Amino acid sequence: MAADPARRLRRYQEMRDFGRTAEPSGGTAAAADGHRFVVQRHRARRLHYDFRLELDGVLVSWAVPKGPTLDPKARRLAVHVEDHPIEYAGFEGVIPRGEYGGGDVIVWDRGVWRPVEADPARAIEAGTLHFDLDGEKLAGRFVLVRSGRGEKDQWFLLHKQDEHAQPGWDAEDHPRSVTTGRTNEEVAAAPGARWHGDRPAAEAEEPVGGWAAPTDDELAALDALGAKGRWSVAGRELALTNLDKVLFPAAGDGRAVTKRDLIRYYATAGPVMLPYLAGRPLNTHRFPQGVTEPGFWQKELPRHAPDWLTTWRNERAEPGEARRYVVADSVATLAWLANYGALELHAWTSRAADVDHPTWVLFDIDPGPETTFEEVLELARLHRTALEHLGLTGRPKVTGQRGVQVWVPIAPHCTFEQTRAWAETVSRTIGRVLPDLVSWAWTKDKRRGRARLDYTQNVLNKTLVAPYSVRPRPGAPVSVPLEWAELDDPRLTPDRWTIRDVPARLADRGDPFAVLLGLEQKLPGL
Ligand code: MN
């Protein structure tokens, strides 16, 4: 093997376009002392684990489809692939689709390795390398051995029988990053940083995509405005009006909520909310006089809307139907909507680019007057069990009113007729488990106070309240996504969080729905 890293990285560099991929290009980092190793879990066209040993200024690499194991009886196929630059050892993020290796990468394990052979480069050339690993997941004596037959690049990775050996040990049972604690799904949902390989490693990280919350200066400027004025946020100047108007009377904490409070909330929560809104037509529930007056639905873009708003034109609109919709895709848009009295935001479950194929299947547990919240929770847990049984990932959210919804992300591969029929089958199965709690009657008076499992929202232009949308109730409660385990928290109520405490919850716990973003699940047959 050539010892010159620049020459050895040529193949790696030829295979990538560093204008498009976030991977490091190599050639900028000094070789570190000692022998580092890293294992990256890489969801590309096929899932594999990249097993990399630092040697002579590069990462000598093997792709291990099933991942390394501590099981001394297992023998893992390991395909010898091109050397990678040292900086790649810390790379965790997304490689753009269409690029070589497109997908997401986490740092699955890392540590140091010690070769048994005196000249490991020569040992690799000869086709057998013994070494000890001291990582966070992997430890003990391993062997890489070139397969005697077939492809020259085919090797096997084995663990020796030693005190670190564990029969049956499977990498897939240990799915989290050792650097950030995240899964590949979580990294794909929020890559966080992009790596520019053409810059020095220390300057290579840059926030990816996404939206920035308003700065402290921008928020201070909002607070400093009188009843109206011009506010600059996210590069736009907005004309705000009636900022001290009370939109929500006080609830528990005795503080009324003004339009200024609402604008501040939507701008602040925007970076977390916008992934659920961007690219989708938006229906808004407006209460320009506040929630003590009746509100109304607005879908049509108003004539006075600023021309920088992203909009979508429904070419199939019937006479009398909305033709031009707002698409909320910036913090400024959310602030504009709040100023416009659009309290409640409902994005479509399909994207504007492909409105006939939803990317969410929704279950709405709609309590009747006799339904207790404990019963709502019982029904929600049955949804969890059903989804687990079907191998699907979903999450619950409280509505901010009385109910709980379950959101399941899917690839846009089904029509609404198909998702609705699928959801109905799941709902009816759940309903049979607790028949006393559930009614299938369409009208409220026939339901005798029981809950409805409403699968009928899975229809074009029918929507549920968006994650983190405010609800039109005193105190400004918010529809908040949850972890499943939070259903068992005795403090949980459907209207537990308001615009006053959601920002702290987000800072503290993050967004439980983030794991759903970018998950393109296929609905299994039932
Ligand atoms: Mn890979």
Side-chain angles (χ1 to χ4, degrees):
M1 292 182 111
D4 173 13
R7 232 169 73 211
R8 295 182 52 170
L9 289 174
R10 201 167 297 144
R11 178 157 171 243
Y12 169 89
Q13 287 160 339
E14 280 167 3
M15 292 169 86
R16 287 166 177 78
D17 173 358
F18 294 101
R20 292 197 58 201
T21 180
E23 298 165 289
S25 63
T28 53
D33 291 338
H35 294 303
R36 281 179 291 176
F37 86 91
V38 62
V39 183
Q40 282 152 316
R41 187 174 185 273
H42 182 184
R43 289 195 308 171
R45 206 153 45 84
R46 290 215 179 86
L47 170 69
H48 59 272
Y49 289 71
D50 290 302
F51 187 88
R52 309 187 193 281
L53 303 174
E54 181 191 0
L55 184 63
D56 296 332
V58 296
L59 298 170
V60 186
S61 299
W62 287 261
V64 185
K66 290 186 166 176
T69 178
L70 301 176
D71 185 344
K73 288 205 166 64
R75 185 172 83 142
R76 294 291 200 236
L77 175 68
V79 180
H80 196 184
V81 296
E82 78 277 14
D83 296 334
H84 275 56
I86 293 289
E87 302 96 308
Y88 205 96
F91 179 69
E92 183 165 294
V94 167
I95 303 170
R97 216 175 275 190
E99 291 290 304
Y100 177 74
D104 42 72
V105 176
I106 62 166
V107 178
W108 181 83
D109 197 19
R110 65 177 173 188
V112 294
W113 72 282
R114 281 173 293 274
V116 173
E117 286 86 8
D119 184 345
R122 177 160 297 183
I124 291 169
E125 291 239 305
T128 307
L129 177 69
H130 294 80
F131 53 98
D132 293 314
L133 290 185
D134 184 5
E136 295 182 38
K137 294 173 182 169
L138 300 177
R141 175 71 48 95
F142 287 77
V143 190
L144 270 164
V145 55
R146 187 183 287 134
S147 139
R149 336 171 238 121
E151 294 292 312
K152 185 173 168 287
D153 290 340
Q154 293 221 348
W155 294 56
F156 290 106
L157 176 64
L158 304 96
H159 193 281
K160 291 296 222 184
Q161 182 62 266
D162 61 17
E163 75 270 27
H164 298 287
Q166 283 188 42
W169 196 93
D170 186 348
E172 288 291 292
D173 295 335
H174 308 268
R176 289 187 181 274
S177 162
V178 292
T179 56
T180 64
R182 298 189 298 169
T183 60
N184 279 78
E185 288 79 8
E186 288 164 349
V187 168
R194 175 165 292 228
W195 193 289
H196 292 277
D198 53 350
R199 300 179 192 168
E203 299 158 26
E205 269 198 28
E206 179 184 86
V208 156
W211 293 272
T215 64
D216 289 346
D217 286 348
E218 286 170 333
L219 292 175
L222 175 63
D223 291 339
L225 289 178
K228 62 179 190 174
R230 303 192 80 79
W231 185 45
S232 290
V233 66
R236 302 284 177 196
E237 190 176 79
L238 305 175
L240 304 182
T241 54
N242 294 322
L243 288 169
D244 297 319
K245 187 181 193 79
V246 170
L247 294 182
F248 304 82
D253 67 357
R255 293 160 71 200
V257 174
T258 64
K259 198 158 117 183
R260 191 192 314 266
D261 296 330
L262 185 72
I263 293 168
R264 170 187 266 271
Y265 168 73
Y266 271 133
T268 306
V272 178
M273 267 190 101
L274 285 163
Y276 307 103
L277 305 176
R280 297 165 190 274
L282 186 70
N283 301 345
T284 68
H285 203 184
R286 290 184 59 213
F287 294 79
Q289 302 310 315
V291 302
T292 54
E293 301 288 325
F296 55 93
W297 286 95
Q298 175 129 14
K299 300 179 182 178
E300 185 74 41
L301 181 78
R303 226 171 270 137
H304 60 78
D307 57 10
W308 52 262
L309 289 179
T310 301
T311 63
W312 172 72
R313 185 178 158 86
N314 183 8
E315 300 295 346
R316 296 190 311 217
E318 304 281 337
E321 281 187 338
R323 200 161 271 282
R324 178 73 66 180
Y325 288 75
V326 177
V327 175
D329 58 1
S330 76
V331 166
T333 304
L334 290 177
W336 178 82
L337 286 163
N339 184 64
Y340 176 55
L343 262 52
E344 203 175 81
L345 306 178
H346 292 230
W348 287 23
T349 53
S350 56
R351 298 189 182 107
D354 184 12
V355 288
D356 293 321
H357 298 100
T359 71
W360 294 102
V361 175
L362 305 180
F363 297 93
D364 187 16
I365 304 167
D366 183 12
E370 308 288 317
T371 312
T372 66
F373 188 54
E374 195 40 61
E375 289 166 346
V376 170
L377 294 176
E378 217 173 319
L379 289 164
R381 290 185 195 106
L382 285 177
H383 285 76
R384 177 188 194 176
T385 306
L387 292 177
E388 277 172 1
H389 178 73
L390 293 166
L392 289 169
T393 300
R395 288 278 187 280
K397 81 177 170 61
V398 287
T399 61
Q401 297 191 153
R402 295 190 57 225
V404 169
Q405 302 163 353
V406 175
W407 285 47
V408 181
I410 59 168
H413 70 300
C414 296
T415 63
F416 280 99
E417 288 69 30
Q418 289 169 327
T419 56
R420 182 182 148 126
W422 187 90
E424 177 174 2
T425 303
V426 173
S427 294
R428 289 195 182 272
T429 307
I430 289 169
R432 277 196 289 276
V433 180
L434 295 171
D436 296 345
L437 296 186
V438 174
S439 166
W440 300 104
W442 284 86
T443 53
K444 276 203 167 132
D445 55 320
K446 295 221 173 82
R447 269 183 242 151
R448 281 182 272 139
R450 290 173 294 177
R452 179 166 162 209
L453 300 181
D454 190 357
Y455 51 85
T456 68
Q457 303 297 327
N458 295 292
V459 171
L460 180 71
N461 202 347
K462 276 219 179 185
T463 54
L464 291 183
V465 66
Y468 303 105
S469 173
V470 178
R471 305 312 303 274
R473 288 282 186 278
V478 171
S479 181
V480 172
L482 304 176
E483 303 286 350
W484 284 112
E486 293 186 271
L487 296 182
D488 301 323
D489 183 339
R491 292 165 300 177
L492 183 68
T493 60
D495 56 355
R496 178 171 173 199
W497 292 282
T498 73
I499 68 169
R500 304 235 194 256
D501 37 36
V502 165
R505 173 181 161 87
L506 286 173
D508 188 37
R509 308 195 50 136
D511 172 22
F513 271 18
V515 295
L516 306 182
L517 289 166
L519 259 194
E520 300 219 324
Q521 304 182 103
K522 292 260 156 57
L523 285 188
L526 297 170

